[in-house]
Amino acid sequence: MIRDITIGQYVCGNSVLHRLDPRTKILSTVSYIFALFLIDSLWCYVLNFSLILIFYLICGISLKMVLNNVKPILPILILTSIINLCVIRDGEAVFSFWIFSLTDRAIFFTLTIFFRIILLIFSSSLLTYTTLPVDLTRGIEKMIKPLAKIRFPVEEIAMMISIALRFIPTLILEAEKIICAQKSRGFNMETGGFIKRAKCMVPILLPLFVCAFKRADELAVAMESRCYRVGGQRTSYKTLSFKKLDIFFALGFLAVLTMVFMINAFFR
Amino acid sequence: MRPLIDVNGLHFSYLNENFGKEVLNDLNFSIQQGEFIAIVGHNGSGKSTLAKLFNAIFLPTSGTIFVDGIDTLNKELIFEIRKQVGVVFQNPDNQIVATLVEEDVAFAPENLCVSQEKIGKIVDRALEMVDMKKFKKSAVHTLSGGQKQRVAIAGILAMNPKCIVFDESTSMLDPVGRKEVLDVMKKLNRENKTTIINITHHMEEVVFANRVIVMKDGEILKQDTPRNIFSDEDLLKKSGLLAPQVTEFLNTLCGELALKKRTVLDVDECVEVLAEILEGEKIGDS
């Protein structure tokens, strides 16, 4: 069901990760993802994986949720893995059959790619699970604030992101209703090949888009009624502040990442 | 006394579609501070357009609307007008901007550049008035329709308006939600002396108003008290409206029994009249 996909959703809680400043979390996630793409030792991936598992444990979010997010891209992941295994030829052959041969480098490379993508989803999901959309946008707004000097529309972009996040649950519900409505008219979307299924998306996406535009229109009128003006001065209901916890977390996280890099450099 | 809203010779037509066709045709009326008004009429009678003219979302094609003495054509004071006249729209989902209840209520004060400490107080007070304080930290999409609509009202109350227009705000709600929203309307009118303009299809809601404005094809057919409106059968026929069920019931009953016509507005009144009729029967029997 579409409802199971939880990208961009917040899970209520009061763990250490929930209480951190969004900017700390955004920067940590970004540096974690950078690290993922820079390291190339299998042990480091294991280390990174256990690190993220510990985080999930701390904030008490079940892994089932994030696995639901992995599910939709699993076919692509498996396909690329198979292609990688077959195409990469350098390194020593471990196993060979007819014209195919499996080399140790191919296995290694496939595993790293696989881990990278899975961990990418795990870490970015963790960010949205533990951070309220409003805080997330506020964090982003604060971080790109310097760009306002070169006339970059910082506040408008932050408003757009927060409205987009606000409407995810509404649009998911609407998509479900549309699917039910189409099904009740004898519309079949569960069988058929890949192309047929892709075509099935049209009668769902089209009404969804039309509805989204209508909603946008009404929302714009409602926002104007409440004195919103593009480019106008605004104050903020809540402001962000770094606390001691943020400093401890940032230092600790930095130490762990440095350690990972050291292991990556010395133990291959 | 200066009326809160003063409409003079108002004409309005849309520029893009049906060019030249008048949506509103020569309206003249005024609304006093503290009144409870109901505007009724069929689809296409121009009542929702009127709502958007009250707070300068649309501007008159000709004629004027004064809100608390300010012409809505005055672009510089547009926020002053929108602060005085808040509009609660039909679909609660399409007027809530933020994910969290408190954040959404804070939206208007943020736009008006109210300082941070003050916004906190405003949000608490607004949520208190609509009895939604315990949902302050909840996500909007987890609430029921009636609760969402009350959050939307709180969002308007945060501007401390003198008048709130409800543009078919109860039409997407279930009976429970509709009652919740109606109770808030009545409470605001009674306790804060807020002017309420309720644009509606439900005749049961019209009963609470001091004055009813009946519209058809962009014109005002009649404005009067609910009792006078519902006893005017010609008007009801002409505008295609149906009186509330109790009113209809008693009208039919009196017609059947060839009794004097009486217009009742709610169940209590109906019971009273019925008791009177039965009493009369008894006396007649003995």
Side-chain angles (χ1 to χ4, degrees):
Chain A
M1 239 16 238
I2 334 177
R3 214 181 273 239
D4 292 336
I5 299 175
T6 52
I7 294 169
Q9 260 183 44
Y10 175 70
V11 183
C12 272
N14 198 25
S15 69
V16 178
L17 288 179
H18 281 90
R19 273 177 285 149
L20 281 175
D21 188 281
R23 285 169 290 179
T24 319
K25 282 185 271 190
I26 294 170
L27 287 177
S28 304
T29 312
V30 170
S31 52
Y32 181 85
I33 290 170
F34 260 107
L36 275 185
F37 282 88
L38 289 174
I39 56 175
D40 47 12
S41 133
L42 214 53
W43 285 115
C44 287
Y45 280 106
V46 175
L47 210 66
N48 270 342
F49 197 56
S50 37
L51 185 66
I52 216 98
L53 285 186
I54 290 169
F55 281 150
Y56 270 89
L57 221 67
I58 289 174
C59 49
I61 291 167
S62 82
L63 286 173
K64 230 192 221 164
M65 278 183 78
V66 69
L67 286 177
N68 272 328
N69 291 348
V70 175
K71 240 190 243 163
I73 61 150
L74 214 55
I76 304 169
L77 215 56
I78 290 170
L79 193 75
T80 47
S81 296
I82 291 169
I83 293 172
N84 271 332
L85 282 176
C86 298
V87 170
I88 298 170
R89 287 301 178 86
D90 44 348
E92 271 173 55
V94 184
F95 171 83
S96 60
F97 169 75
W98 191 34
I99 55 164
F100 299 108
S101 66
L102 224 57
T103 67
D104 55 350
R105 296 223 42 180
I107 295 172
F108 175 75
F109 190 71
T110 310
L111 274 176
T112 35
I113 294 281
F114 193 83
F115 263 124
R116 259 179 207 167
I117 292 174
I118 297 272
L119 285 179
L120 197 69
I121 296 171
F122 268 61
S123 57
S124 50
S125 299
L126 188 63
L127 176 66
T128 53
Y129 286 156
T130 58
T131 320
L132 275 168
V134 243
D135 286 337
L136 205 61
T137 39
R138 214 164 261 153
I140 295 169
E141 191 184 339
K142 271 277 160 65
M143 282 161 63
I144 59 172
K145 192 99 202 192
L147 290 177
K149 277 189 189 133
I150 53 166
R151 293 211 179 152
F152 188 77
V154 173
E155 289 198 359
E156 283 70 34
I157 293 211
M159 179 62 76
M160 275 159 62
I161 298 172
S162 71
I163 288 175
L165 289 172
R166 138 88 181 85
F167 274 94
I168 289 176
T170 313
L171 289 178
I172 286 177
L173 227 67
E174 191 147 274
E176 274 182 359
K177 264 188 213 157
I178 293 169
I179 290 173
C180 286
Q182 300 288 36
K183 269 185 186 165
S184 72
R185 298 174 196 176
F187 168 73
N188 181 3
M189 61 176 290
E190 255 105 36
T191 57
F194 180 73
I195 293 176
K196 190 168 171 254
R197 280 207 205 177
K199 273 186 184 162
C200 281
M201 293 310 283
V202 176
I204 293 163
L205 286 182
L206 214 60
L208 195 63
F209 267 105
V210 174
C211 288
F213 276 112
K214 269 191 193 153
R215 275 183 197 282
D217 225 21
E218 279 182 33
L219 187 72
V221 171
M223 282 170 76
E224 274 195 349
S225 303
R226 288 165 74 185
C227 302
Y228 182 75
R229 180 169 46 179
V230 174
Q233 278 279 317
R234 300 187 77 220
T235 47
S236 185
Y237 175 44
K238 278 186 181 150
T239 41
L240 301 174
S241 60
F242 285 116
K243 289 182 256 343
K244 263 189 194 153
L245 186 72
D246 291 287
I247 299 164
F248 284 132
F249 181 85
L251 287 178
F253 195 73
L254 213 65
V256 172
L257 280 190
T258 325
M259 203 175 77
V260 168
F261 274 116
M262 301 243 278
I263 293 172
N264 190 50
F266 295 116
F267 305 90
R268 286 185 170 247
Chain B
M1 202 173 95
R2 186 175 74 189
L4 183 66
I5 296 176
D6 198 11
V7 180
N8 290 308
L10 173 72
H11 287 259
F12 182 81
S13 53
Y14 288 105
L15 280 178
N16 43 5
E17 49 197 297
N18 306 327
F19 184 77
K21 189 183 172 274
E22 295 238 298
V23 182
L24 296 175
N25 188 7
D26 194 26
L27 300 190
N28 290 290
F29 62 94
S30 57
I31 294 169
Q32 298 291 341
Q33 176 72 43
E35 268 194 291
F36 196 132
I37 306 270
I39 300 181
V40 294
H42 256 260
N43 290 338
S45 61
K47 51 194 197 321
S48 284
T49 310
L50 193 58
K52 287 177 186 148
L53 278 152
F54 285 145
N55 74 340
I57 295 287
F58 292 158
L59 297 174
T61 311
S62 71
T64 52
I65 302 178
F66 282 92
V67 173
D68 205 18
I70 308 168
D71 192 341
T72 58
L73 287 167
N74 189 340
K75 282 222 164 64
E76 271 151 40
L77 292 173
I78 202 160
F79 279 9
E80 218 38 59
I81 294 163
R82 288 183 185 162
K83 246 161 70 182
Q84 303 298 350
V85 182
V87 185
V88 180
F89 293 96
Q90 185 176 24
N91 189 339
D93 270 325
N94 296 354
Q95 53 186 319
I96 292 176
V97 184
T99 319
L100 288 186
V101 169
E102 55 170 347
E103 297 275 348
D104 186 71
V105 178
F107 182 71
E110 280 179 341
N111 290 336
L112 295 166
C113 292
V114 179
S115 71
Q116 209 171 358
E117 317 91 73
K118 275 192 194 155
I119 296 182
K121 276 181 208 146
I122 290 173
V123 169
D124 283 342
R125 222 195 53 191
L127 285 173
E128 185 90 59
M129 274 195 257
V130 296
D131 197 20
M132 284 292 287
K133 212 168 176 194
K134 56 181 176 292
F135 295 99
K136 193 178 166 189
K137 305 262 177 206
S138 306
V140 170
H141 67 97
T142 60
L143 302 177
S144 74
Q147 288 169 334
K148 278 184 202 169
Q149 205 61 298
R150 278 190 285 160
V151 171
I153 297 171
I156 297 297
L157 285 174
M159 298 191 288
N160 199 15
K162 285 188 180 153
C163 170
I164 302 181
V165 182
F166 291 84
D167 186 2
E168 293 182 38
S169 307
T170 57
S171 62
M172 289 180 82
L173 306 178
D174 57 4
V176 178
R178 189 181 309 152
K179 190 175 176 301
E180 287 171 0
V181 171
L182 262 179
D183 286 344
V184 171
M185 277 188 217
K186 285 189 238 168
K187 186 181 161 196
L188 289 174
N189 185 250
R190 196 177 54 233
E191 290 173 15
N192 296 19
K193 297 278 170 279
T194 311
T195 310
I196 305 287
I197 301 176
N198 186 16
I199 297 173
T200 182
H201 279 296
H202 294 280
M203 293 307 138
E204 278 77 12
E205 292 177 15
V206 173
V207 171
F208 307 112
N210 311 128
R211 176 151 61 110
V212 186
I213 298 176
V214 183
M215 289 184 65
K216 198 195 177 194
D217 299 330
E219 286 174 39
I220 292 179
L221 285 186
K222 190 175 182 178
Q223 5 177 356
D224 212 332
T225 58
R227 198 176 300 277
N228 290 345
I229 295 282
F230 290 132
S231 54
D232 188 343
E233 275 172 38
D234 287 339
L235 176 81
L236 292 179
K237 218 171 267 168
K238 211 163 134 198
S239 57
L241 297 173
L242 285 175
Q245 268 181 341
V246 263
T247 319
E248 204 73 344
F249 163 73
L250 203 75
N251 270 349
T252 319
L253 190 75
C254 289
E256 285 285 310
L257 299 174
L259 291 168
K260 185 175 67 124
K261 278 252 160 91
R262 263 172 294 192
T263 309
V264 291
L265 295 179
D266 57 19
V267 177
D268 290 343
E269 279 183 27
C270 184
V271 169
E272 233 169 72
V273 172
L274 277 180
E276 222 174 88
I277 292 172
L278 289 174
E279 198 70 26
E281 288 269 293
K282 259 188 212 160
I283 295 163
D285 280 349
S286 59

